[in-house]
Amino acid sequence: MICGLSSNMAARKQQLAVVLLFLLGGVLSFPLGQDRKDALTCGYESCHATKPNMLNVHLVPHTHDDVGWLKTVDQYFYGDRNDIQHAGVQYILDSVVDQLLKNPDRRFIYVETAFFYRWWKQQSSSMQQTVRQLVNEGRLEFVNGGWCMSDEATTHYSAVIDQMTMGLRFLNETFGACGRPRVAWHIDPFGHAREHASMFAQMGYDGFFFGRLDYQDRARRMMAKEQELLWRASDSLTPPVADLFTGILPNGYNPPEGFCWDQSCDDPPIRDDPDLEDYNVDDVVKRFMAIAENQALVYKTNHIIMTMGSDFQYENANLWYKNLDKLIRYVNGLQSNGSKVNVLYSTPSCYLQELHRANLTWALKMDDFFPYADSAHDFWTGYFTSRPALKRYERISNSNLQTCNQLEVLGGPVSRKGPFGGGDSQTMKKAMAVAQHHDAVSGTEKQHVANDYARKLASGWQHCQVLVSNSLAALSGSSSERIYCDNLNISVCPLTATSKKFSVSVYNPLARPVTWPVRLPVNGTAYTVSDANGKPVDCQVVPVSKATQEVRRNRGFAVNELVFQVQAPPLGYSTYSVSLLQDGSPPTSTQHRTPTVIQNKFLKVTFDPDTGLLSSLSNLETQQSIKLTQKFYWYNASDGNNSLSIQPSGAYIFRPNSSTPFIISSTAQTESIQSSVVQEVRQWFSPWVSQVVRLYADSRALELEWTVGPVPIDDSLGKEVITRLDTSIQTGEYFYTDSNGREMLQRKKDFRPTWQLKQSEPIAGNYYPINSRAFIKDDVDQLTVVTDRSQGGGSIHNGSLEIMLHRRLLYDDVRGVAEPLNETSDIFPEGLVVRGRLLLSLDRPPSAADAHRPLAQEVVLQPLLTFTDGDLNPNTRLEFSGLQAALPPAVHLLTLSQWDKDSVLLRLEHQFQSWESKVNSQPVTVNLQKLFSTLDVLGMSELNLSANQWKDEMKRFDWTPQKGEKPLLKTFEDPSTWEVTLRPMEIRTFLLRVSLR
């Protein structure tokens, strides 16, 4: 509804079109556009007729265009570096449009909006009009429609939603209702996440098709005719909100064998001149009919789908279409002789429509499609960790982008053009969107492509820094230069290392206050720190660790770190002033013996004095304690060098050559630091593995900051490095991982919920993606581990949890990238060094989510620090919150982004599952008019999750599960015009018309 306007639907459609168009800034090109679309023949209305008493074969011409893989996204678009791979997306689109115009029966689908957007901008107005006509007639159809086809194992849900919104917004603005995809299409990702299916359902998709699933799962589903199913993708959202019809394609995403007519293929064309000796129509038709009939045996209806295309195909579309035209003509010509096979040009949505019309019941699935194996020893579980530095950089970039988006709204127009120049968030948005691609953050690209993704993220952040500086200048009243220190994780910040007086502004992108530890590189031995109210803040100077000094490689010269804890208000900043009191030599507060215990008022951590390793963890509030040891190991990678029959580990595949890992060291050299701010035990396990066990004064989580690398390869074996936590918790072979950072899924060793697993890889076959957290538990204790990036892990032994931190491999795994995962750089020519954090919390299982949900959000959306040298202007506003009050603990502000001049996009989510908290798994109501401190909300309209449809106009196909009744969509009334109620795991999306106060 449109609050403050008219709530009557008919009146809204008849009278308020102009108001709505203004409100939306033209973004929803036809906000009332169902009437407009009815005059066109796109979507389901454009489908070719089928024949009810025949086997209908839906031919789907398509191309799969990776937004970076073997070549960069730019090289793929232009067709550059064909010495690596012959591929040029601009030529594909040129050729397809030309061929579609030659026959109105032809169809084509396109997926990757990042490429189409580039191509579209280069077209003349007349060509753009021609393409619009093709779209309006359903001859060119968009499927999926995101900026990219995202990875499903290593992406965070917030970034996936953003990239989908960007792509779908462009299609909506450009083509209106006919540009809206009806089908999600993930034909290449290497396993499929339940949360992705849930998001697709909430984005309004009628169905979902993918190409890859475990070979054992496929065999069972073929026999049971369950390759098409109903996926119930949430255990908290009321069905059918997260129900999604899902189809598994028959050939991955390739054409049937012998029927590839691209210039990159070797299959013979249809030679249909009977006067020529090599006439082959009869043979082609016979082979095609046999393939079609065999495929029909393992699907449920008299409709089957064939994907006619593959990677970067249709650069010369005439080859494909000329042969497809002939195939359709000659196969259908046999119907006059009694053939019951009907072939037609089609699209995934047209195929889906026929399945819906069949009115059958479908097998119900409630888990996910991880892990994925394509044969007995080929588990695609290595990429859960591949390129850990890029995975971390992508996660930091997402946090920075959300901060950039928020401050663009809170700072107003001056944020885009202010004292520091013109800033923008679009460059960063595009870089982050591309980074979600299934060969980007997944770590499965060539090295030069990984470098390009990182370069694009860095460039985007530079644009955002100008915007952030402008916004903070407007909010604080100070236009002093702001410095950004992006290498604080290795204690590098030239300003803090040299300045005698500076201030640090801490911006908190969460909608609740946070307490956050700050560690600043300094060279003095004593400092004073004061908060925004001038009150002194407890601080401590500690020496920079040996591990940090080694990994800096002359990039920094600070010998100490200034440590203190800051508090920042919700969606706002607080400013702290720092002054040098004393220069001098590094402090001598370190002790070289292992302490037996470190503790604060919440946690107690004990160490074995003989080994220097952790021995127990206790929660002092709940009076619970577990045995806990932690060690580092590596698996030797299978190398495949001696025999072609051995599958090597590589960017995609994890295949250790033994189920027993090698321990790096059973003891650790230690030194410790004890202070009122932080207690640390610094552990050295080897020259290439070290760790800091860290407990801050006010923290309910234990921090493990690990540093791994360069991984040695002098024995000519690749290594896959893990850390393993062994506890006294009785897990019974169960453990739990998150799905894209949202809902938790139960896992069990050597088990799959939907088929009888024949386990052939006891380690790799028990690894799952850990996007933000994993936990093990019994009836009494739950140990949760929050990660700072996507990683792979499993529970191989009772009471244990292992997480893979780093991989360095010497052989390619023969899955296309044609390059070993052996990362080096100019700074680390002998091998990449990676640093990260694990946060451990110990709680009672019924209340554990109350701790790990907000903790994980703090890691995903961490505070942004900016620095100003010298004294601040006395009129500077030292503290600010963009909210009138903090949101309730169950509510997370997912998106606050400028949509157009007068409107912003807001997403609020309930961040708890329905079963996981007695306190927080309850509905929560938020008043949108009382939300912001600097914005007046003048009007609001609710959209679907991807912001390309009005929520009350979003209609989807309904499907009936084999067991149980067809679920009916329930609607819930909000308490009042401006109050919105969120139920467990619900995300609600609003377009707000606002004005700055």
Side-chain angles (χ1 to χ4, degrees), residues 483-628:
I483 304 299
Y484 298 81
C485 293
D486 293 329
N487 294 311
L488 288 174
N489 67 320
I490 55 170
S491 200
V492 174
C493 181
L495 172 66
T496 63
T498 57
S499 178
K500 295 184 178 180
K501 188 165 189 178
F502 61 90
S503 63
V504 52
S505 179
V506 183
Y507 179 82
N508 169 27
L510 294 174
R512 55 180 175 80
V514 297
T515 299
W516 187 262
V518 169
R519 304 178 70 90
L520 304 179
V522 295
N523 283 300
T525 56
Y527 289 81
T528 60
V529 179
S530 58
D531 65 14
N533 296 314
K535 295 180 180 179
V537 176
D538 193 12
C539 62
Q540 183 73 35
V541 176
V542 301
V544 170
S545 70
K546 289 188 296 183
T548 295
Q549 293 175 26
E550 291 173 0
V551 300
R552 288 193 302 203
R553 302 290 172 94
N554 299 317
R555 287 178 289 169
F557 51 87
V559 295
N560 298 327
E561 287 183 314
L562 174 65
V563 185
F564 57 99
Q565 290 189 289
V566 298
Q567 294 180 328
L571 226 66
Y573 68 83
S574 190
T575 305
Y576 289 76
S577 298
V578 180
S579 297
L580 173 68
L581 285 181
Q582 180 180 332
D583 270 322
S585 59
T588 57
S589 59
T590 58
Q591 302 176 3
H592 288 279
R593 62 179 179 83
T594 303
T596 56
V597 63
I598 59 175
Q599 74 175 72
N600 61 15
K601 56 189 174 183
F602 304 117
L603 296 178
K604 178 180 178 181
V605 186
T606 65
F607 294 81
D608 184 326
D610 296 325
T611 65
L613 304 181
L614 287 167
S615 58
S616 75
L617 175 64
S618 302
N619 184 324
L620 302 178
E621 289 182 296
T622 57
Q623 297 184 336
Q624 62 187 122
S625 182
I626 60 169
K627 294 179 181 178
L628 171 64

Side-chain angles (χ1 to χ4, degrees), residues 9-204:
M9 290 294 295
R12 187 180 79 178
K13 289 188 176 185
Q14 295 294 323
Q15 301 171 9
L16 297 179
V18 174
V19 176
L20 283 170
L21 278 167
F22 171 75
L23 173 64
L24 291 173
V27 167
L28 293 174
S29 300
F30 305 109
L32 317 174
Q34 187 63 38
D35 295 335
R36 171 67 189 271
K37 180 183 160 303
D38 285 346
L40 306 173
T41 55
C42 61
Y44 297 120
E45 291 80 9
S46 66
C47 298
H48 289 310
T50 58
K51 297 187 177 182
N53 298 320
M54 292 189 178
L55 174 61
N56 293 277
V57 184
H58 295 248
L59 303 182
V60 178
H62 81 105
T63 181
H64 175 62
D65 297 344
D66 289 302
V67 187
W69 179 37
L70 308 182
K71 307 198 293 189
T72 69
V73 59
D74 300 333
Q75 290 166 350
Y76 270 134
F77 179 76
Y78 284 107
D80 195 10
R81 291 302 307 274
N82 283 337
D83 57 313
I84 298 175
Q85 180 186 14
H86 187 97
V89 174
Q90 62 173 333
Y91 308 120
I92 293 172
L93 291 167
D94 289 342
S95 185
V96 164
V97 169
D98 176 68
Q99 288 300 311
L100 288 176
L101 294 172
K102 293 182 178 180
N103 182 350
D105 290 337
R106 292 174 175 175
R107 297 290 184 268
F108 194 79
I109 62 168
Y110 200 73
V111 179
E112 294 84 7
T113 304
F115 282 134
F116 189 87
Y117 167 81
R118 289 182 177 211
W119 180 83
W120 178 261
K121 289 196 306 177
Q122 296 180 359
Q123 304 311 302
S124 66
S125 58
S126 61
M127 175 55 74
Q128 288 181 351
Q129 188 55 41
T130 296
V131 174
R132 282 194 180 95
Q133 186 66 25
L134 291 173
V135 173
N136 290 342
E137 294 174 0
R139 295 155 67 184
L140 174 62
E141 180 176 303
F142 296 101
V143 298
N144 212 65
W147 205 248
C148 70
M149 185 185 296
S150 60
D151 182 57
E152 298 194 41
T154 63
T155 47
H156 192 266
Y157 72 98
S158 61
V160 174
I161 292 170
D162 282 351
Q163 74 90 5
M164 292 298 298
T165 300
M166 174 177 283
L168 293 171
R169 178 178 184 178
F170 168 76
L171 295 178
N172 208 52
E173 287 180 328
T174 308
F175 300 105
C178 287
R180 178 172 64 83
R182 271 64 173 175
V183 167
W185 183 259
H186 268 212
I187 55 178
D188 196 25
F190 331 119
H192 302 280
R194 195 176 79 171
E195 191 59 37
H196 260 74
S198 176
M199 290 187 287
F200 286 148
Q202 295 174 71
M203 290 174 182

